[in-house]
Amino acid sequence: MSSEVLVSRPHFDSRSVAQAGDPLPPTDAEATFMEGLHPSSGLATAGYRSAKYSAEEWHVNNFSTLHQAVIDRNNAERIRHESKTLYAETEAGTLRTQAEGTRHLGERLQDIHFWKSELQQHIEKLLAETDLLLRQKRRLLKALDATEIPFAIATDNLTCRERRLGPDLVKDRVEEELLKEVELIRSIQALLKRTLSQAVNQIKCNRDAKQTLELDWSDKYQAYSLDDQCGRYNNMSTDTQYHPNSANLQDQLCNRDAWVCSTQDNLSVAQREEQASVELRLLVERVLQETAEDLRVQCSNVDQAFSQRCLQLTEAKTQLELHLTQILDQIGAQERNMVSLQKALYDKEAPLRVAQSRLHQRSHRPHMELCRDNPQFSLVGEVGQISQTMSSLQQQLSAARSSLSHLEESRMALEKDIGCKTHSLLIDREKCMSHRTRYPTIIALSGY
């Protein structure tokens, strides 16, 4: 067996050589062994060693062990010192970072509370504004329903006045005002329908904006609850867990400016709808007030026209009745005159017979006795006078009869016209004007 196999080198820890600033320098034997001054020191005694170490090797090995212990102890002290320093630094840093995170959570809670309060304020404003607009909508519906009564009254008045008789079927100021009233009611109904449509659309916009704010408020409420719970976490909390991938979600989140901008946009939309709702309510109030006033003014104009027309009809009827009375008096007087004329004619028949009989008897006188003497001339004159008188009486009787016929026609015309005026007064005063007493008040026309 070769001696190289039997001789074993002392174990030398390379860590002692690698350490810089070794506090224990090697001894002379160690240095000699390390430098290889006795490369063949074990060959001569190879047969005696039987794999035993030399004293120098024992010292070297002992020194290496001690030296390595010193090095390990120093490294342990250094690492322990560094660990203590790192622990203190990391503990302070962790506490500082955790405190800063808690502070940021507190600031975040304040921001969320501020915007949540703003959202709540505008939600309440939108709710109140929508309620007010719903009241205006109900007023519009009531006002629109209230216009049906004036429209029915005006159309009924026009229909009733179409039944006027004869010359009273005239397009007077009452009819003109009634037509104006019908046209006004139609235009007001169209305006109220348009305004009602605007109110319905605005109510929908208010509710949409309110729903958007409520969703945003709900999100912020949940975020506030979560951040409040996060802010309450501490190192002694028992409900914390490890979530290794929680930090990887940060790239998918929006930044704070986008978050604020989103809420501000929602609030801007809500403020715009609030302003539009306020303006629409003022418009509805003005429309209701103006339309009610216009209808009442037109109603007053129609009533005034009816009063004037009824006054005209009454005056005309009074004059017709006065003329009828006079015509009736004339008819009576003419009838009496005709009776007198007939009696006068009858009274002239006897004198005419007497005079004609005398002339006839005297025409039988004989011979020269049949002469034109004074009696003859007197009798002839008498017959002529009586005949002329009877002719005059007959002409006067004929004129009286014609006058009586005209008087009867005037009487019938007056009676017919009086009947027309009575019928017109019945329509205008008893039907139309009494029907117009059901005209809605300005409060009802305003939607109350």
Side-chain angles (χ1 to χ4, degrees):
M1 181 177 293
S2 174
S3 60
E4 295 178 356
V5 178
L6 295 176
V7 175
S8 60
R9 298 293 181 184
H11 175 70
F12 181 75
D13 194 348
S14 61
R15 292 179 296 175
S16 61
V17 179
Q19 293 295 332
D22 190 359
L24 297 177
T27 61
D28 294 340
E30 182 180 2
T32 302
F33 176 78
M34 292 173 61
E35 293 177 0
L37 296 178
H38 305 283
S40 61
S41 59
L43 294 179
T45 58
Y48 298 98
R49 289 189 59 183
S50 299
K52 293 182 180 179
Y53 293 98
S54 64
E56 289 80 2
E57 290 176 343
W58 179 83
H59 285 291
V60 169
N61 182 58
N62 188 39
F63 174 78
S64 297
T65 302
L66 293 176
H67 181 70
Q68 186 61 41
V70 172
I71 292 174
D72 290 341
R73 189 180 67 252
N74 291 334
N75 287 335
E77 290 180 356
R78 178 178 57 80
I79 291 173
R80 187 164 48 82
H81 177 72
E82 291 177 355
S83 298
K84 186 180 295 185
T85 304
L86 181 62
Y87 169 77
E89 291 177 355
T90 54
E91 182 69 15
T94 301
L95 293 177
R96 183 173 60 253
T97 305
Q98 189 180 76
E100 185 177 0
T102 304
R103 180 176 61 82
H104 287 308
L105 283 173
E107 294 176 354
R108 179 64 175 176
L109 288 174
Q110 292 180 357
D111 290 342
I112 294 176
H113 178 73
F114 170 76
W115 290 113
K116 192 159 66 72
S117 300
E118 290 292 321
L119 290 171
Q120 181 66 32
Q121 180 180 0
H122 284 280
I123 287 172
E124 293 175 355
K125 286 183 179 180
L126 279 175
L127 182 61
E129 191 61 37
T130 303
D131 290 339
L132 293 176
L133 197 56
L134 283 172
R135 294 180 184 177
Q136 296 295 75
K137 176 189 172 183
R138 289 192 290 269
R139 287 185 59 193
L140 284 172
L141 289 173
K142 290 182 180 179
L144 187 60
D145 292 338
T147 56
E148 294 297 331
I149 297 178
F151 185 77
I153 291 174
T155 53
D156 182 72
N157 290 162
L158 289 171
T159 303
C160 289
R161 298 189 90 244
E162 289 295 326
R163 296 196 293 267
R164 290 175 296 171
L165 303 175
D168 284 351
L169 189 59
V170 60
K171 187 177 180 179
D172 51 7
R173 180 170 173 263
V174 176
E175 185 171 348
E176 293 176 356
E177 294 296 336
L178 283 173
L179 291 174
K180 288 181 182 179
E181 187 176 40
V182 171
E183 187 64 27
L184 176 63
I185 293 172
R186 286 176 177 172
S187 62
I188 287 176
Q189 287 178 342
L191 176 60
L192 291 177
K193 289 178 180 178
R194 290 196 302 270
T195 309
L196 181 61
S197 178
Q198 292 179 3
V200 171
N201 292 333
Q202 187 60 49
I203 289 172
K204 182 179 180 299
C205 292
N206 287 355
R207 286 174 174 171
D208 291 341
K210 175 176 169 289
Q211 183 179 8
T212 302
L213 293 184
E214 287 175 343
L215 291 175
D216 197 358
W217 184 91
S218 178
D219 293 342
K220 285 179 171 50
Y221 177 81
Q222 295 181 12
Y224 187 90
S225 299
L226 293 174
D227 285 348
D228 181 64
Q229 183 180 2
C230 292
R232 296 179 186 276
Y233 282 153
N234 55 51
N235 296 331
M236 303 301 294
S237 300
T238 59
D239 54 347
T240 57
Q241 296 178 0
Y242 287 106
H243 300 280
N245 296 325
S246 60
N248 297 331
L249 301 175
Q250 301 302 315
D251 295 336
Q252 304 176 6
L253 306 179
C254 65
N255 55 25
R256 185 182 183 278
D257 293 337
W259 174 76
V260 174
C261 183
S262 175
T263 303
Q264 287 178 344
D265 290 342
N266 293 335
L267 291 175
S268 298
V269 172
Q271 290 175 351
R272 186 166 62 249
E273 297 302 334
E274 290 172 11
Q275 184 64 28
S277 181
V278 171
E279 293 176 357
L280 183 58
R281 281 197 300 107
L282 295 177
L283 175 63
V284 170
E285 184 68 31
R286 186 168 65 252
V287 166
L288 289 173
Q289 182 178 358
E290 291 179 356
T291 53
E293 291 177 355
D294 291 342
L295 282 176
R296 290 304 307 180
V297 169
Q298 184 60 30
C299 176
S300 178
N301 293 336
V302 174
D303 291 342
Q304 184 179 3
F306 264 116
S307 299
Q308 292 179 355
R309 183 59 178 170
C310 289
L311 182 60
Q312 293 174 356
L313 289 172
T314 303
E315 291 178 355
K317 180 185 176 185
T318 302
Q319 292 179 358
L320 290 172
E321 290 173 345
L322 178 61
H323 282 77
L324 178 61
T325 303
Q326 294 176 354
I327 289 294
L328 291 175
D329 292 341
Q330 287 296 326
I331 287 174
Q334 197 65 269
E335 288 176 346
R336 290 191 297 272
N337 182 40
M338 288 175 60
V339 171
S340 299
L341 289 174
Q342 289 175 353
K343 184 176 183 303
L345 281 173
Y346 179 77
D347 291 341
K348 295 300 183 291
E349 291 179 356
L352 180 61
R353 289 196 307 269
V354 171
Q356 289 177 351
S357 296
R358 286 177 178 177
L359 286 173
H360 178 72
Q361 290 296 330
R362 294 189 84 235
S363 65
H364 292 90
R365 288 177 299 170
H367 305 295
M368 294 302 293
E369 294 298 325
L370 186 61
C371 65
R372 285 185 272 179
D373 51 6
N374 288 331
Q376 185 71 24
F377 287 118
S378 175
L379 288 174
V380 171
E382 183 181 0
V383 170
Q385 180 184 2
I386 293 174
S387 298
Q388 184 179 1
T389 300
M390 291 184 69
S391 177
S392 298
L393 290 173
Q394 190 66 39
Q395 291 178 358
Q396 192 66 29
L397 180 61
S398 178
R401 286 174 179 171
S402 177
S403 175
L404 181 61
S405 176
H406 291 151
L407 287 173
E408 289 291 341
E409 292 177 357
S410 296
R411 179 185 64 81
M412 289 188 294
L414 288 172
E415 289 177 349
K416 183 178 179 180
D417 206 0
I418 289 173
C420 290
K421 298 297 183 291
T422 303
H423 185 69
S424 298
L425 280 172
L426 176 65
I427 291 175
D428 287 349
R429 180 182 294 167
E430 302 299 329
K431 290 186 177 180
C432 293
M433 294 188 70
S434 63
H435 195 189
R436 295 188 68 83
T437 57
R438 297 170 53 194
Y439 208 93
T441 62
I442 192 169
I443 297 177
L445 293 173
S446 299
Y448 291 106

